[in-house]
Amino acid sequence: MSRVVVLGSINRDLVLTLEHLPVPGETVTASHLEILNGGKGANQAVAAAAIGGSVALVGRVGTDTAGPEQVSALAAAGVDVSYVRKDPRAPTGTAVVMVDGAGHNSIAVVPGANGLLDAVSVEQAAPLIERARILLLQLEVPDGAIERAVAVARRARVVTILNIAPYRDLPPGVLRRVGYLLANETEAAALLGRRVDGIEDAAQAAEAMRRLGPSWGIITLGEQGTVAAGDDGWFHEPAVAVDTADTTGAGDVFAGVLAVGLVEALPVRDAVRLAIAAAAVSVTRRGARGLHPADAPALRGRSTR
């Protein structure tokens, strides 16, 4: 039985390495091009598997050559792909990722088959979701799929983590039905309609997120760490200092590992600590899937202190 079910996107990533990210109207020559595996949902599922979680992914790929390649890579990473379907109506999703010399990135996504994941598709996966401990969602799939998945999880009393990335306004009622609402400072600012700047401000924002209905509001702050607010107040966990090569996918690693920590009944603070450590390891490597199974023993040792 998969204890974490991820519903989300599967992409082929075209990764360009640049000296600096272009500004509007500027052409920049890339020094390197890589074709890697990606998609927020797929990345989160792979991170959950890498830390030792039992995880399944619900998603869509095309019938082009990229589709089977993505599915094979997920299966090789230890993800249950029984509910990843091939759809001939659209190509596999594609992301163009530009990474500069400091590891910062800029990303454009063509949804492709990810945009065909609908409420009917989710209902077909309902038996899988109902047996899970955690349902993990992000926003690279349509609203209809998100709404139905949250409803299925709620009726089965499955805890939901909603990562509001990439941010968009959601249908009324969705936020009230999730257990954990996860965002970075930019996404939290878009949700709340105000700037989020610094730890104290993020703590207030996390509390405001919690008041929308979830039990926990969690905001990742990059080099400033993570702030989380629950019924008993808020806490701040600092980031881990590392030499950054590529920040692509760090938030996905955080989300996937957080889900596994919660499934294993770690206190929320310890689950956040584990997720921070995993994300820190991931940014020292190129690509969106920088967490490897060999990292798990050391990371678990860092999650408590």
Side-chain angles (χ1 to χ4, degrees), residues 6-9 40-41 44 136-141 146 163 165:
V6 181
L7 183 135
S9 56
K40 295 192 74 63
Q44 291 175 1
L136 175 57
L137 306 165
Q138 352 65 40
L139 302 184
E140 282 188 341
V141 295
I146 298 293
N163 178 201

Side-chain angles (χ1 to χ4, degrees), residues 172-185:
V174 171
L175 300 184
R176 292 196 302 270
R177 298 185 179 98
V178 302
Y180 295 80
L181 189 57
L182 172 62
N184 64 24
E185 65 266 47

Side-chain angles (χ1 to χ4, degrees), residues 4 6 39-50 53 55-57 74 77-80 136 138 252 256 260:
V4 176
V6 181
K40 295 192 74 63
N43 294 342
Q44 291 175 1
V46 168
V55 57
L57 177 63
L74 287 162
V79 177
D80 180 352
L136 175 57
Q138 352 65 40
D252 298 332
V260 173

Side-chain angles (χ1 to χ4, degrees), residues 12-36:
R12 176 183 59 172
D13 286 357
L14 307 181
V15 183
L16 305 174
T17 302
L18 314 166
E19 184 176 327
H20 67 273
L21 299 177
V23 298
E26 181 184 18
T27 299
V28 178
T29 299
S31 62
H32 191 59
L33 167 66
E34 290 181 280
I35 301 176
L36 302 175

Side-chain angles (χ1 to χ4, degrees), residues 15 18 25 56 71 88 90 97 101 154 185 230 236 254 268 289 295 298:
V15 183
L18 314 166
V71 175
V97 183
R154 187 174 177 84
E185 65 266 47
H236 168 247
F254 183 98
V268 174
R289 298 184 186 174
D295 300 320

Side-chain angles (χ1 to χ4, degrees), residues 51 274 277 281 293-303:
I51 203 68
L274 178 63
V281 169
D295 300 320
L299 288 172
R300 288 185 177 280
R302 289 189 217 171
S303 66

Side-chain angles (χ1 to χ4, degrees), residues 12-303:
R12 176 183 59 172
D13 286 357
L14 307 181
V15 183
L16 305 174
T17 302
L18 314 166
E19 184 176 327
H20 67 273
L21 299 177
V23 298
E26 181 184 18
T27 299
V28 178
T29 299
S31 62
H32 191 59
L33 167 66
E34 290 181 280
I35 301 176
L36 302 175
N37 305 316
K40 295 192 74 63
N43 294 342
Q44 291 175 1
V46 168
I51 203 68
S54 173
V55 57
L57 177 63
V58 179
R60 288 289 181 275
V61 296
T63 54
D64 51 0
T65 57
E69 291 171 358
Q70 294 302 315
V71 175
S72 294
L74 287 162
V79 177
D80 180 352
V81 293
S82 302
Y83 284 85
V84 175
R85 308 293 191 221
K86 298 175 185 176
D87 197 315
R89 295 175 292 168
T92 301
T94 299
V96 178
V97 183
M98 294 182 288
V99 182
D100 70 10
H104 301 132
N105 64 67
S106 182
I107 304 172
V109 178
V110 181
N114 296 311
L116 302 176
L117 189 65
D118 57 13
V120 173
S121 307
V122 173
E123 197 61 46
Q124 291 170 348
L128 177 72
I129 296 170
E130 290 166 349
R131 294 193 300 270
R133 293 282 303 279
I134 293 279
L135 172 67
L136 175 57
L137 306 165
Q138 352 65 40
L139 302 184
E140 282 188 341
V141 295
D143 286 354
I146 298 293
E147 286 188 278
R148 180 64 69 179
V150 169
V152 169
R154 187 174 177 84
R155 77 189 183 203
R157 298 188 178 182
V158 174
V159 175
T160 300
I161 303 172
L162 176 60
N163 178 201
I164 51 172
Y167 181 78
R168 67 172 183 268
D169 291 336
L170 288 166
V174 171
L175 300 184
R176 292 196 302 270
R177 298 185 179 98
V178 302
Y180 295 80
L181 189 57
L182 172 62
N184 64 24
E185 65 266 47
T186 302
E187 294 148 2
L191 172 67
L192 300 174
R194 65 177 180 84
R195 187 175 177 180
V196 177
D197 186 12
I199 294 169
E200 293 286 340
D201 200 23
Q204 295 176 17
E207 175 59 27
M209 288 166 55
R210 191 185 71 83
R211 288 198 299 267
L212 295 175
S215 299
W216 284 87
I218 302 174
I219 302 177
T220 58
L221 302 169
E223 294 178 354
Q224 294 185 79
T226 299
V227 167
D231 290 340
D232 296 328
W234 67 277
F235 65 82
H236 168 247
E237 278 295 321
V240 177
V242 294
D243 293 327
T244 300
D246 182 2
T247 59
T248 307
D252 298 332
V253 170
F254 183 98
V257 173
L258 175 70
V260 173
L262 295 175
V263 160
E264 295 178 355
L266 290 180
V268 174
R269 189 161 197 162
D270 286 347
V272 166
R273 200 173 284 150
L274 178 63
I276 289 172
V281 169
S282 77
V283 303
T284 65
R285 299 166 181 152
R286 294 285 179 182
R289 298 184 186 174
L291 188 67
H292 303 155
D295 300 320
L299 288 172
R300 288 185 177 280
R302 289 189 217 171
S303 66

